[in-house]
Amino acid sequence: MDTHMDSTCVQEQADFNISEDHDGVQVTRILNLLASYLVRHENDQFDTQGRELARQQIQYFMAKNEPLEFILPGFPCKSPNVIDKSFSAMPDLGEVLAIERLDAFCVALNEIYPYGSRVTILSDGTTFADIVHVDDEVKTQYNAALRQLCVTENIIWADLIDLLLDAKHIHKTEGEHLRKALLKGISTGPRSFDKFVQKVSESVEQAKVHDKLCSYLYHDVCIERFSDGDRDSYLDSIRDKAYQMMYRGRALSAAIDKTYPHHIRLSVHAYDNAGPKFTFSLSSDINEAVSPWHTVPVRLLSGQFVQLPHAIAKQKHVIRVTNGEQNWCYLEVADSKLQGFNAEVIKSPAFGLKISDPQRLGYTCLPTNFLQKLSEQFGFILLKNMPDITQQDLIDFCHPFGNIYHWQFGPVHVVKPEEVPHGFVHSIEKTPLHWDLSMLPATEKKVEQNPKFSARCFMLYCKTPPVQGEGQTTIVDSRVALKLAGQAKVKQWQNIHITYETKLTYFGGTPRCYPLVDLHPTTRESILRYQEGSESKLQRFSLSSDAMASAEFASLIQEVNDIAYHDKCFVAHEWEAGDLVIIDNYYTLHGRLAMTEKSMSRELWRVQVY
């Protein structure tokens, strides 16, 4: 026997076993992650049946070294019952949170499985819109708005026309034609629908499903109201519509199986998770299958967002948040008088929150913890028309937020252009993007204790605004910036360290080195830790990296700048007298746009809290 060949075979078998063991561990981790996102049925069958089916489906993609593919039919259209269930006909923060949850699921999968994952959301509103009395045009607008809500590289959008290969000539807005084309896929000849109804009525289990749909249409959607006391006729119409929903649902499932035969099927409906459909929780509540198109998003006093039927949400003490002209979410408050405040998202979908006080209740009525947590969740909070205050008033307002950082000149930094400035901060020039307390001297005691010491948040109060159109404070949503960069690039950036250096100023002068992407000190989320360079004659702010060639480093910095100033994550706040902004210093970067001499009177007061 050839001993070389024998040892080679042994080694190959060992490599195979190692690979097999690795794949087994990998599949188990993926299955455990999937299980953590599922809504569990009272007689749940995932552990006894569904887990093995999901394992086989996962191994199909692994054998091909392909991304794991999931499909979720859902996000059809809003419930037309805006009194009891929904906010309006268009998406709100509920859809944002649901999409981001699906994206977070993929991000976690991608950490386990090197070939990645994708979720195809099949927005199936065309299938049922006419039954629930939603115009196809409204459904189409909802569908289009969904695709613009979030930045994600893991979500693929599809709709009914993508299932019907022989109906590509039909326009998306021609709902009735698409529905007819869909039903052809399960047509078994004359009176196919009538035969289906007969089978459902003869099956105990299917009859229960029909009854649930009747209840859904009657109580949840409220697609019609009684007229002339004709209750019997109304109930008959509900029964027929429930049969129509079941019939079309069957046709939709058949089309999905044909077009996406290997995709792992996720569902928003309550199943026992035996497979092939697995009930995926679109909210943090994994005890109940809740969809954002039948509910409204409510931020509870605890800070947790939940989805509640509109009628129930309105029973709480809540502040309504709008996004432009649209209802967006509710913020629960402890006292009914606080409902007098108004709130509006500054940049869709959830960056910046403007709070106004039309009833002059006083912003000190709002609990510190409430404002602090909102600034973390939305990046920054803008309190409009704060009454004329003193510097001591500002200190008193900021003190409950934590420890105030004291400079040699005191706790309040008056940021105002000087005739002879010693740096860009006190000039009319642009201030580059940065985070506060990033360039403290290495000899500062807090830096000696923690080299990454910085402010947790800071407040800016506008004593005197610049002229409109200049001197805006720029704020960058680093969470969205990192999504724009993409998961693979973020991993690379975690290993890139940049050294920042500037001349000695009031805030330091010692060169400091930071990773481009770091971890939040408490949540452990990835955060962008970047400071923009400057070639200003007043103050040069230089960036360097010992580990990268100059051309490669310059390309990196250009890419980071392009992302930071991307419209999806960038805000330039126009100041008005009395504005008070609370900015989270971990989840954002900030700077200032240039001014002219017309804005020499611009005066902001800044207090930093750690």
Side-chain angles (χ1 to χ4, degrees):
M1 179 182 291
D2 189 326
T3 55
H4 172 72
M5 289 293 293
D6 184 57
S7 63
T8 300
C9 291
V10 170
Q11 183 61 49
E12 288 178 349
Q13 182 63 45
D15 290 344
F16 175 79
N17 290 335
I18 292 172
S19 175
E20 188 174 48
D21 290 344
H22 176 266
D23 287 350
V25 171
Q26 200 172 62
V27 173
T28 298
R29 291 178 65 195
I30 293 171
L31 288 168
N32 290 344
L33 180 68
L34 173 62
S36 71
Y37 277 84
L38 297 183
V39 179
R40 293 308 185 101
H41 191 271
E42 59 182 354
N43 297 312
D44 199 81
Q45 302 295 313
F46 182 75
D47 293 332
T48 56
Q49 296 184 52
R51 190 178 184 94
E52 181 56 34
L53 174 61
R55 179 189 301 276
Q56 296 172 17
Q57 293 175 311
I58 290 166
Q59 288 175 330
Y60 169 84
F61 295 105
M62 292 181 67
K64 294 174 173 290
N65 292 336
E66 292 179 350
L68 302 176
E69 297 278 9
F70 298 82
I71 186 163
L72 174 77
F75 298 84
C77 55
K78 283 288 196 182
S79 166
N81 182 2
V82 296
I83 297 174
D84 301 316
K85 294 301 168 185
S86 62
F87 256 149
S88 68
M90 289 294 106
D92 54 44
L93 187 61
E95 275 84 356
V96 173
L97 296 175
I99 295 169
E100 289 185 342
R101 183 169 169 81
L102 286 163
D103 185 63
F105 171 62
C106 288
V107 169
L109 282 174
N110 299 345
E111 292 293 330
I112 300 172
Y113 181 60
Y115 295 97
S117 60
R118 292 186 293 242
V119 172
T120 297
I121 297 178
L122 179 70
S123 191
D124 56 352
T126 303
T127 310
F128 308 107
D130 62 319
I131 293 178
V132 296
H133 286 199
V134 173
D135 291 342
D136 282 319
E137 182 179 352
V138 172
K139 178 272 307 175
T140 300
Q141 291 172 352
Y142 172 83
N143 191 301
L146 282 173
R147 304 181 185 217
Q148 303 301 317
L149 280 180
C150 304
V151 175
T152 168
E153 60 181 335
N154 301 303
I155 304 297
I156 299 172
W157 290 96
D159 50 34
L160 187 55
I161 201 167
D162 295 300
L163 299 180
L164 306 173
L165 300 179
D166 58 347
K168 294 298 183 182
H169 62 284
I170 303 176
H171 194 271
K172 290 183 178 182
T173 58
E174 298 181 64
E176 188 59 33
H177 295 294
L178 287 172
R179 286 186 281 272
K180 289 180 179 179
L182 174 67
L183 294 177
K184 284 182 181 179
I186 59 168
S187 177
T188 56
R191 302 182 65 251
S192 179
F193 174 70
D194 294 335
K195 294 175 183 176
F196 172 79
V197 171
Q198 183 66 30
K199 285 185 179 180
V200 170
S201 62
E202 293 173 352
S203 167
V204 175
E205 290 300 318
Q206 288 298 299
K208 288 180 180 179
V209 174
H210 177 261
D211 289 344
K212 286 183 179 180
L213 280 175
C214 287
S215 177
Y216 158 74
L217 291 170
Y218 182 83
H219 295 290
D220 193 37
V221 180
C222 289
I223 59 177
E224 296 176 12
R225 301 294 181 184
F226 299 136
S227 59
D228 301 326
D230 192 2
R231 181 182 179 86
D232 291 340
S233 176
Y234 174 74
L235 293 177
D236 285 342
S237 72
I238 289 291
R239 294 188 190 99
D240 181 65
K241 286 177 170 63
Y243 283 125
Q244 288 284 355
M245 290 192 78
M246 293 181 70
Y247 189 59
R248 295 184 192 181
R250 180 185 171 194
L252 182 67
S253 288
I256 291 173
D257 290 342
K258 182 178 180 180
T259 308
Y260 301 97
H262 300 294
H263 281 51
I264 302 167
R265 182 79 176 268
L266 304 178
S267 177
V268 298
H269 301 294
Y271 292 101
D272 63 8
N273 293 316
K277 299 176 182 179
F278 303 103
T279 305
F280 191 94
S281 174
L282 293 179
S283 73
S284 57
D285 182 4
I286 60 172
N287 297 313
E288 186 178 2
V290 178
S291 57
W293 45 94
H294 295 139
T295 54
V296 299
V298 181
R299 181 192 182 275
L300 301 178
L301 289 174
S302 64
Q304 178 188 10
F305 277 96
V306 297
Q307 294 293 134
L308 298 175
H310 201 176
I312 294 177
K314 288 184 292 187
Q315 294 174 8
K316 296 179 174 292
H317 301 320
V318 291
I319 297 173
R320 181 174 63 108
V321 179
T322 59
N323 184 0
E325 299 298 319
Q326 185 182 340
N327 292 328
W328 204 239
C329 70
Y330 281 130
L331 307 176
E332 185 183 16
V333 289
D335 193 327
S336 60
K337 72 176 182 181
L338 299 181
Q339 294 179 278
F341 287 96
N342 294 333
E344 180 182 357
V345 169
I346 292 173
K347 188 169 192 64
S348 185
F351 187 45
L353 189 67
K354 179 173 72 174
I355 300 177
S356 55
D357 182 16
Q359 298 181 15
R360 296 297 178 186
L361 301 171
Y363 289 110
T364 54
C365 291
L366 295 171
T368 298
N369 185 62
F370 177 74
L371 293 174
Q372 180 178 313
K373 291 297 183 182
L374 284 178
S375 69
E376 292 173 3
Q377 289 173 331
F378 288 88
F380 68 100
I381 305 295
L382 166 63
L383 305 181
K384 290 296 295 182
N385 299 318
M386 176 79 80
D388 193 24
I389 61 174
T390 65
Q391 291 187 18
Q392 186 58 50
D393 292 331
L394 180 60
I395 293 171
D396 293 342
F397 178 85
C398 297
H399 183 71
F401 285 81
N403 299 309
I404 294 176
Y405 190 84
H406 283 252
W407 298 91
Q408 292 179 353
F409 49 75
V412 178
H413 176 206
V414 178
V415 184
K416 185 177 182 180
E418 298 173 345
E419 292 293 338
V420 184
H422 297 287
F424 41 60
V425 172
H426 286 280
S427 74
I428 59 175
E429 292 185 3
K430 169 185 173 179
T431 299
L433 295 174
H434 62 286
W435 71 93
D436 265 14
L437 301 186
S438 59
M439 296 299 291
L440 291 173
T443 54
E444 213 277 3
K445 289 185 178 180
K446 292 179 177 58
V447 176
E448 289 179 343
Q449 296 169 357
N450 175 16
K452 295 180 180 179
F453 170 80
S454 69
R456 179 168 47 80
C457 66
F458 64 97
M459 291 71 167
L460 290 172
Y461 175 73
C462 182
K463 182 68 174 176
T464 306
V467 299
Q468 285 291 301
E470 58 185 53
Q472 302 97 324
T473 289
T474 55
I475 313 174
V476 175
D477 185 345
S478 78
R479 283 175 282 206
V480 172
L482 292 180
K483 287 192 174 188
L484 288 168
Q487 194 171 357
K489 191 150 291 178
V490 168
K491 280 188 174 183
Q492 295 174 8
W493 288 0
Q494 290 171 344
N495 298 315
I496 295 176
H497 287 69
I498 298 177
T499 299
Y500 304 93
E501 186 172 5
T502 186
K503 68 179 182 179
L504 181 65
T505 66
Y506 77 93
F507 56 80
T510 308
R512 300 295 304 278
C513 184
Y514 296 98
L516 183 53
V517 171
D518 209 346
L519 295 179
H520 191 287
T522 55
T523 68
R524 310 310 290 170
E525 290 180 79
S526 293
I527 54 175
L528 183 63
R529 275 321 206 198
Y530 171 69
Q531 302 186 83
E532 186 181 10
S534 173
E535 295 296 328
S536 168
K537 293 180 180 179
L538 288 173
Q539 180 183 347
R540 188 172 183 270
F541 196 94
S542 63
L543 283 62
S544 62
S545 173
D546 294 337
M548 300 179 71
S550 57
E552 182 186 11
F553 184 68
S555 177
L556 168 70
I557 296 305
Q558 181 62 56
E559 183 177 23
V560 176
N561 280 334
D562 289 344
I563 290 174
Y565 283 96
H566 194 288
D567 182 63
K568 290 282 187 181
C569 59
F570 181 82
V571 166
H573 173 60
E574 293 275 1
W575 287 104
E576 294 182 357
D579 283 355
L580 175 64
V581 178
I582 305 168
I583 302 179
D584 184 276
N585 197 43
Y586 291 122
Y587 289 120
T588 67
L589 305 173
H590 67 281
R592 183 192 67 221
L593 297 183
M595 302 177 282
T596 67
E597 292 185 353
K598 296 177 182 179
S599 294
M600 287 293 290
S601 61
R602 178 190 190 268
E603 181 176 338
L604 302 185
W605 297 347
R606 187 193 65 191
V607 175
Q608 296 156 320
V609 176
Y610 63 94

